[in-house]
Amino acid sequence: MQPDLTQELLELVRLTATSLPADVEQTIAAARDKEDAGSVARSVLDTILRNVQMAREHSTPICQDTGTPIFYVDIPAGWSIREFRRQIEAAVAEATRRVYLRPNAVNSLTGKNTGNNLGDEYFPTVHFHEVDGDTVTVRLMLKGGGSENVSTQYKLPDTRLHAGRDLEGVYKVVMDAVYQAQGKGCAPGFLGVGIGGDRGSSFYAAKEALWRTLDEPNPDPELDALERRITEDANKLGIGPMGLGGKTTVMATRIKAIHRLPACYFVSIAYMCWAYRRHTMIYRNGQVEYK
Amino acid sequence: MREITIPIDDETIRSLKAGDTVALTGVMMTGRDAVHKWLMDTFINKTRQPQGDDLEVYEAIKKILDHGVLYHCGPVVSGIETGDYKFVAAGPTTSIREEPYEATVIKHFNIKGVIGKGGMGPNTLKACQETPAVYFHAVGGAASLIAQSVQRVLGVYKLEFGVPEAMWVIEVKAFPVIVTMDSHGNSLHKSVLESSQARYRELIGA
Ligand code: SF4
């Protein structure tokens, strides 16, 4: 029989909303040290770091926009996806009641907020994959609206930017996205970049790329070099924390390339704010572990 | 860090310059997309008839906003069921969405400060010069920290807009902000945009 994991999922939601992953926090702290003493940039990063600590101590949301809950579930054969989704929904509703999450699901036609973060089958978003073995892995990302609003998609070639269908073209449009975003997606941010796909799968890849931890290089050396170049050059723009000027605009870039149609070459940029909330829950032999 | 109490007089506003860090203390109100739309439609453009408690709410918020501060914030609030409200998380939301309305709203209510993130456009900057008023930047996402500076929730209007969209009247103490648009026509957002544009052009060879 499939176990009821509602309580375990609730803890995953609490953890993700209130505790920034260690790699993200360390990266922000390193950025803070690089900014000049007494600068607006350093004071903003100090505020962010104090806020992160306070959220963890009080178990309150790191950011008031607790975002779109996006779940990625690896589920063994024989488990019911419908039942699992019901448990996720119960956990999300309970997390909202306990104010780990803000009610964020708004009916696009009536403007009414459902009050419990449950909308249609897209809200919360749940991606299921069937896997071998009997381990269940649930990854949760909370993607804030401000950062989603500055996320964007390009179609190559882009004549305005003289960007062709190659990695140089990718570089140009990603730099354009960072420049256009300024501080509005709560810079300093992280870039998830999807190359290829159709318009939908391209963004899916961009968000998926954000799951690679910050100490892990891109397995493709060419993409790894591009990631470093984008991060370094984005920081030359001087946009800085919150767009108020400074050395830190982008803290890391993550690229994932997928197959495309001959006719299409999309580049999607999933801008992730400093409140880069992602955690993983692993369920095996009745034991739960969080990462 | 300058300490300023709400209500704020014109002289104080005129003395503030883009780049100043400020700690705000006093009573302010939250308002974002739904509030701006409701205000514009019902009381400024009058394309919609006042309904229910609209007029009553309008009179009440007029007093709060005169020489007051409007905060672009969609908070996380506990105690919704009991009415014993507490701000759990209360960072700023993106302000530019209100750019089509804000200049009118600032002047209509004689607002002295708007708090948000990301800054606002030329219309708001002009209204800041004329009213006078300033734009305060709060650290986007610093929700837990800011919630700590909220001493009390004094009340809420239009809760039917939803928790993030309602008008929350709050008493704050030493709320940390940075002046990024002052009443003399300076905007830190504009200057960062301009300098980043020059560097961006160099880098991509445009
Ligand atoms: S962009 Fe991120 S940090 Fe900023 S308000 Fe939204 S969720 Fe919070």
Side-chain angles (χ1 to χ4, degrees):
Chain A
M1 241 251 312
Q2 182 171 341
D4 183 353
L5 296 180
T6 308
Q7 288 311 311
E8 288 76 6
L9 289 163
L10 174 62
E11 171 56 17
L12 176 66
V13 178
R14 188 202 64 79
L15 183 69
T16 310
T18 64
S19 180
L20 209 59
D23 62 332
V24 176
E25 194 173 351
Q26 281 156 13
T27 304
I28 300 173
R32 178 243 175 236
D33 292 343
K34 273 192 233 147
E35 296 287 354
D36 297 334
S39 62
V40 170
R42 186 180 268 209
S43 99
V44 169
L45 291 172
D46 272 333
T47 306
I48 286 173
L49 288 165
R50 258 194 300 146
N51 177 69
V52 166
Q53 216 178 342
M54 205 170 256
R56 189 174 291 129
E57 272 164 27
H58 297 213
S59 207
T60 51
I62 298 163
C63 177
Q64 78 288 340
D65 182 0
T66 54
T68 310
I70 311 172
F71 290 87
Y72 302 78
V73 185
D74 290 345
I75 201 166
W79 283 52
S80 161
I81 285 175
R82 261 184 302 169
E83 174 54 26
F84 207 92
R85 185 172 173 106
R86 266 196 293 274
Q87 294 175 11
I88 287 179
E89 287 182 351
V92 164
E94 180 58 19
T96 313
R97 215 184 56 76
R98 297 193 189 180
V99 288
Y100 302 139
L101 298 179
R102 177 180 80 177
N104 254 356
V106 176
N107 183 306
S108 295
L109 301 181
T110 63
K112 218 174 143 33
N113 191 315
T114 62
N116 60 1
N117 271 307
L118 303 183
D120 43 37
E121 73 262 37
Y122 294 90
F123 207 115
T125 302
V126 188
H127 302 293
F128 284 102
H129 298 105
E130 189 178 300
V131 290
D132 292 335
D134 52 12
T135 302
V136 183
T137 308
V138 186
R139 295 177 293 155
L140 170 61
M141 180 177 286
L142 297 174
K143 181 74 172 65
S147 71
E148 197 65 8
N149 280 337
V150 298
S151 295
T152 184
Q153 191 169 65
Y154 295 82
K155 171 170 68 75
L156 297 183
D158 184 307
T159 41
R160 182 177 68 91
L161 299 169
H162 303 290
R165 290 184 160 190
D166 50 25
L167 292 186
E168 195 56 29
V170 173
Y171 166 80
K172 285 185 181 175
V173 297
V174 176
M175 288 297 289
D176 186 62
V178 175
Y179 164 69
Q180 302 290 346
Q182 292 287 309
K184 291 183 293 236
C186 286
F190 300 85
L191 306 173
V193 180
I195 303 177
D198 67 7
R199 288 193 182 271
S201 61
S202 189
F203 263 125
Y204 183 83
K207 286 196 170 122
E208 181 64 40
L210 288 167
W211 276 101
R212 180 152 46 90
T213 51
L214 295 167
D215 50 8
E216 213 182 315
N218 194 309
D220 180 326
E222 210 181 353
L223 292 182
D224 194 64
L226 182 60
E227 289 179 354
R228 289 171 198 281
R229 178 179 171 211
I230 290 171
T231 303
E232 200 176 300
D233 284 1
N235 289 332
K236 292 181 189 156
L237 296 174
I239 293 168
M242 292 297 126
L244 305 179
K247 296 174 190 164
T248 323
T249 302
V250 168
M251 292 185 280
T253 306
R254 291 290 179 258
I255 304 177
K256 189 175 168 77
I258 60 175
H259 282 73
R260 62 179 175 86
L261 283 174
C264 304
Y265 197 122
F266 297 114
V267 180
S268 304
I269 294 100
Y271 193 104
M272 176 56 94
C273 52
W274 64 260
Y276 185 0
R277 290 157 290 180
R278 52 159 160 66
H279 278 283
T280 303
M281 160 184 149
I282 298 161
Y283 177 82
R284 189 186 297 129
N285 306 327
Q287 298 288 325
V288 181
E289 190 197 329
Y290 295 95
K291 281 210 287 213
Chain B
M1 172 103 53
R2 259 184 80 179
E3 312 214 345
I4 292 180
T5 2
I6 310 166
I8 313 174
D9 60 33
D10 288 358
E11 201 185 323
T12 308
I13 289 296
R14 290 279 184 215
S15 73
L16 290 172
K17 300 268 165 359
D20 288 353
T21 51
V22 172
L24 290 170
T25 298
V27 176
M28 62 170 75
M29 190 185 98
T30 68
R32 46 183 288 175
D33 309 63
V35 171
H36 284 80
K37 187 163 179 353
W38 170 76
L39 282 174
M40 290 299 289
D41 292 353
T42 322
F43 301 104
I44 297 171
N45 294 332
K46 302 198 164 100
T47 52
R48 173 184 169 275
Q49 286 293 316
Q51 297 163 12
D53 64 353
D54 280 0
L55 287 169
E56 229 172 282
V57 173
Y58 176 67
E59 288 307 321
I61 66 169
K62 253 180 21 191
K63 295 194 194 90
I64 301 164
L65 293 178
D66 185 24
H67 286 90
V69 173
L70 176 65
Y71 181 22
H72 295 158
C73 168
V76 180
V77 186
S78 68
I80 297 297
E81 282 144 28
T82 58
D84 181 19
Y85 305 125
K86 217 175 153 269
F87 269 34
V88 177
T93 188
T94 304
S95 299
I96 197 70
R97 291 194 306 268
E98 319 311 340
E99 178 65 9
Y101 325 113
E102 204 68 270
T104 317
V105 170
I106 288 173
K107 287 189 196 159
H108 187 87
F109 290 99
N110 191 31
I111 293 171
K112 292 292 133 197
V114 171
I115 309 176
K117 66 162 178 163
M120 301 193 72
N123 290 335
T124 305
L125 189 60
K126 192 151 165 273
C128 284
Q129 284 174 271
E130 289 165 4
T131 310
V134 294
Y135 179 85
F136 294 114
H137 203 286
V139 172
S144 281
L145 190 73
I146 294 172
Q148 296 299 309
S149 73
V150 177
Q151 304 291 296
R152 275 191 308 156
V153 178
L154 302 177
V156 59
Y157 299 109
K158 296 287 175 192
L159 195 49
E160 66 265 30
F161 289 171
V163 171
E165 295 281 348
M167 287 170 268
W168 294 92
V169 184
I170 52 174
E171 190 182 314
V172 304
K173 196 173 155 200
F175 183 122
V177 289
I178 300 157
V179 178
T180 56
M181 292 163 66
D182 64 25
S183 63
H184 307 285
N186 302 308
S187 163
L188 205 54
H189 306 281
K190 203 166 146 255
S191 55
V192 170
L193 180 71
E194 283 164 5
S195 62
S196 69
Q197 185 179 50
R199 267 169 260 171
Y200 155 79
R201 291 219 169 112
E202 275 167 38
L203 285 165
I204 76 157

